[in-house]
Amino acid sequence: MARVVVRYSEFERYDIQRDAEVVRFMATTDGGSYWAEVPSANSAAVRRDRAAFKERVTEFIQAGVYPKEVALG
């Protein structure tokens, strides 16, 4: 299996359309980026969503899914 390097990052911002603080998780590879945006209700929810995002991205990479938005719900 080929080795894939992934750079994870996250950004917090205020979403005027949702009227809420949100966190955007990103996983950048040489083939593109996977991303998800979720409300940042509290730190426990952000930790749970971060772990779910990383797990889902790992599954996508192993399955050869082209980079895209990741649904966490």
Side-chain angles (χ1 to χ4, degrees):
M1 175 176 242
R3 180 178 163 192
V4 177
V5 176
V6 181
R7 179 177 174 251
Y8 290 99
S9 59
E10 60 186 70
F11 306 93
E12 293 186 38
R13 69 180 183 85
Y14 175 76
D15 185 338
I16 194 168
Q17 293 179 331
R18 295 183 189 184
D19 189 25
E21 294 289 326
V22 296
V23 177
R24 174 174 281 219
F25 300 111
M26 292 193 72
T28 306
T29 69
D30 61 347
S33 295
Y34 300 90
W35 71 94
E37 197 166 84
V38 296
S40 60
N42 57 50
S43 57
V46 172
R47 280 192 303 273
R48 180 195 66 229
D49 291 338
R50 182 185 303 123
F53 176 74
K54 287 182 177 183
E55 183 178 325
R56 190 80 168 138
V57 167
T58 300
E59 291 170 3
F60 282 173
I61 291 171
Q62 290 174 343
V65 175
Y66 190 76
K68 63 178 187 171
E69 185 171 7
V70 177
L72 297 180

